[in-house]
Amino acid sequence: MKIIFSIAALATTASAFSAGKPAFTRPATQLFGEFGASSTSVYTTTEKQDSYASLDVMLTEKCKDEKIRTVIKDMLDVCADITEALRTALVTVEGSTNDFGDAQLSVDVIADNLIWEAVKKSPVIREGASEEDPVVRDVDEGGEGEFTVCWDPLDGSSIVDNNWAVGTIMGIWPKSTGLLGATGRDQVTSLVALYGPRTTVLVALDDGTYEFSYGCTPEGCQLPDGTFEPWICSRSAVKISEETMIFSPANLRAAQDVPGYKKLVDYFMENRYTLRYSGGLVPDIYQQFTKGQGVFSNPTSKSSPAKLRLAFEAAPFGLLVEKAGGKTSDGVTGGSILDVQINGVDQRTALCIGSAKEVDRFNEYLELN
C-alpha cells in the first residue's frame, strides 16, 4: 500500500507541477533534420514471432552432415559456459602473457581453458589452435576426430574491462584440408558469439547464416509446446544488403600513410554515413547481421601493420558475411578473404568486410583492382 500511495502521490505532484507556471524558461534546442541526431540511426525492424525453432530443429533442417551438427552443438555449449563465467568473473591481470607478450586477463584464460576442455571432450574434433597459443595441437585421443577448430577465445580484451560487448570467434576446417595450406573457403562452418546484454551466436549453415540466442530465461527459451531449450533460432538466413550508411573504420592511423583510405573516410563523413565503431571486432562486424548492412575496414601500412589474424578472425567472419550476401576484400589484391591461403597459424591480414558496394568502394579508393 505504501508503494501504491507513493506512486499516486508522485503522479499527482507531477500533474500539478506541469499545470502550473514553469519555474524557468529557455530557448528550445534547435534540431537539424526531421529527428535531429537520431535521424542518422538505424533501428531494428525485426518483429516478434509467435514461435521460435529450437537449435536441434534448425540443425536437422539446415545442416545435413551429422558430424558438423555435433561440432556446432559442442561449440555452442562452451559459448554458454563462457557466458556464465563472464557474469561472475572479475576482469583482472592474470600474471601471465600470451605468445605475443600481451598480458592475459583472467577472463581470457577462463574462456580459453573452457574451449580447450570442450575440444578435448568432443568426439569429432581432431585438432585445436587458440589465438592465445597459435600452435595446432592434436586433441584426438580416440583417433576418430574430423575437424580442426581455431578460435579467438575472447576477442575484445582491451574493452572487456569497460564491460563492453566482447565475443568468441571460431573457424572449423575438415580433416581433408586441415588448417595449414587451406583457405577460409574450406571451412565447414564458423561461429561468432557476442556476449552483451544477451548472448547470441552466428552460425554458418548449409544455406546461409543463422543466429541463435541463449538463455531467454534462467530456465531457457520456451518453445510452443511449453518445453524450455537453452538455444533458439532468433534470426534465419540473415541477409546483408549491398548498400549501407553505417561504417566502422579500424586502423585509422593507416589513413596517414594510405591516401586512398583517407579519401574513403572523408567520403563517409562528407556523405553523412553513421559511425558505429567500438574497437571490438566482434560487435563492430556483428552489427551488420542485426542491422542488415554495414562495412568494416581495416587496411594496413608500413607504420600500421596488419593485426587481424586470418585463421582466428578474418576467415571465420568472412564465411558468415559471404553466406549472408556480403562481400570481403583481403586489402591487398581486392579478392575475397576466403581465397587467401593460410600458410601460418598466426598469419595476419588486412580486411574489408560487409555490404558489397562499400567493399567495392574500398577496393576502388585503395586502387586494389
Side-chain angles (χ1 to χ4, degrees):
M1 291 297 294
K2 289 182 180 179
I3 295 176
I4 294 173
F5 174 80
S6 298
I7 293 174
L10 182 61
T12 302
T13 303
S15 298
F17 180 79
S18 61
K21 186 177 181 180
F24 63 93
T25 59
R26 65 181 180 186
T29 301
Q30 184 177 3
L31 300 179
F32 297 91
E34 185 178 0
F35 302 105
S38 66
S39 64
T40 61
S41 297
V42 179
Y43 298 98
T44 184
T45 57
T46 303
E47 297 182 357
K48 183 178 180 180
Q49 300 173 201
D50 292 332
S51 63
Y52 294 85
S54 69
L55 172 64
D56 286 336
V57 167
M58 292 307 296
L59 290 184
T60 300
E61 291 182 0
K62 303 297 182 179
C63 185
K64 295 180 181 178
D65 190 298
E66 183 179 356
K67 289 185 177 179
I68 296 177
R69 294 200 297 267
T70 298
V71 74
I72 289 172
K73 292 175 71 173
D74 289 345
M75 295 303 95
L76 284 174
D77 283 345
V78 75
C79 289
D81 293 339
I82 294 172
T83 297
E84 301 304 329
L86 288 175
R87 289 173 179 169
T88 57
L90 295 177
V91 179
T92 58
V93 176
E94 189 68 12
S96 58
T97 59
N98 59 21
D99 274 23
F100 317 108
D102 302 325
Q104 288 184 298
L105 301 179
S106 55
V107 287
D108 287 325
V109 175
I110 290 169
D112 199 34
N113 288 342
L114 286 170
I115 298 174
W116 274 117
E117 290 173 9
V119 299
K120 289 175 181 178
K121 291 179 181 177
S122 175
V124 296
I125 297 175
R126 61 188 294 265
E127 295 176 329
S130 168
E131 188 191 43
E132 297 294 312
D133 176 26
V135 177
V136 178
R137 300 186 185 280
D138 187 350
V139 296
D140 187 16
E141 295 183 359
E144 298 179 355
E146 289 290 332
F147 305 112
T148 298
V149 181
C150 295
W151 65 86
D152 182 346
L154 201 65
D155 184 83
S157 296
S158 64
I159 60 174
V160 68
D161 55 345
N162 295 336
N163 207 22
W164 291 4
V166 293
T168 297
I169 308 172
M170 299 175 174
I172 301 173
W173 279 263
K175 184 178 182 178
S176 59
T177 67
L179 180 66
L180 296 179
T183 68
R185 207 170 293 283
D186 292 319
Q187 294 172 101
V188 297
T189 185
S190 65
L191 301 86
V192 172
L194 178 64
Y195 310 114
R198 297 169 293 118
T199 291
T200 53
V201 183
L202 296 168
V203 182
L205 299 181
D206 293 348
D207 66 343
T209 299
Y210 290 73
E211 181 192 72
F212 294 89
S213 290
Y214 171 70
C216 309
T217 72
E219 295 78 23
C221 304
Q222 188 171 18
L223 300 182
D225 63 1
T227 60
F228 286 84
E229 293 286 341
W231 296 95
I232 59 168
C233 181
S234 44
R235 297 177 193 270
S236 298
V238 183
K239 295 299 179 186
I240 297 173
S241 65
E242 288 189 342
E243 299 179 340
T244 184
M245 291 296 289
I246 299 173
F247 75 114
S248 304
N251 198 15
L252 281 173
R253 295 182 187 90
Q256 297 178 321
D257 307 318
V258 183
Y261 193 35
K262 184 179 186 303
K263 179 182 175 183
L264 180 65
V265 174
D266 287 343
Y267 174 88
F268 290 146
M269 300 300 292
E270 290 167 3
N271 288 274
R272 298 181 61 80
Y273 280 52
T274 297
L275 172 65
R276 289 290 181 269
Y277 180 73
S278 72
L281 181 69
V282 171
D284 289 338
I285 299 181
Y286 200 112
Q287 65 181 327
Q288 297 175 10
F289 299 89
T290 54
K291 304 298 186 183
Q293 60 173 295
V295 63
F296 172 90
S297 54
N298 192 330
T300 64
S301 68
K302 289 183 179 180
S303 63
S304 297
K307 291 185 177 181
L308 296 181
R309 279 89 170 172
L310 177 59
F312 297 111
E313 297 166 321
F317 251 129
L319 183 65
L320 291 163
V321 166
E322 292 199 10
K323 273 186 167 286
K327 193 170 184 177
T328 65
S329 168
D330 62 10
V332 178
T333 69
S336 169
I337 196 68
L338 296 181
D339 293 327
V340 179
Q341 188 174 56
I342 302 168
N343 297 315
V345 181
D346 190 48
Q347 185 172 335
R348 310 298 178 99
T349 184
L351 178 68
C352 185
I353 187 168
S355 294
K357 290 187 177 180
E358 293 304 332
V359 175
D360 288 340
R361 194 189 312 278
F362 172 89
N363 287 339
E364 175 189 348
Y365 278 38
L366 272 68
E367 300 180 354
L368 302 182
N369 51 19

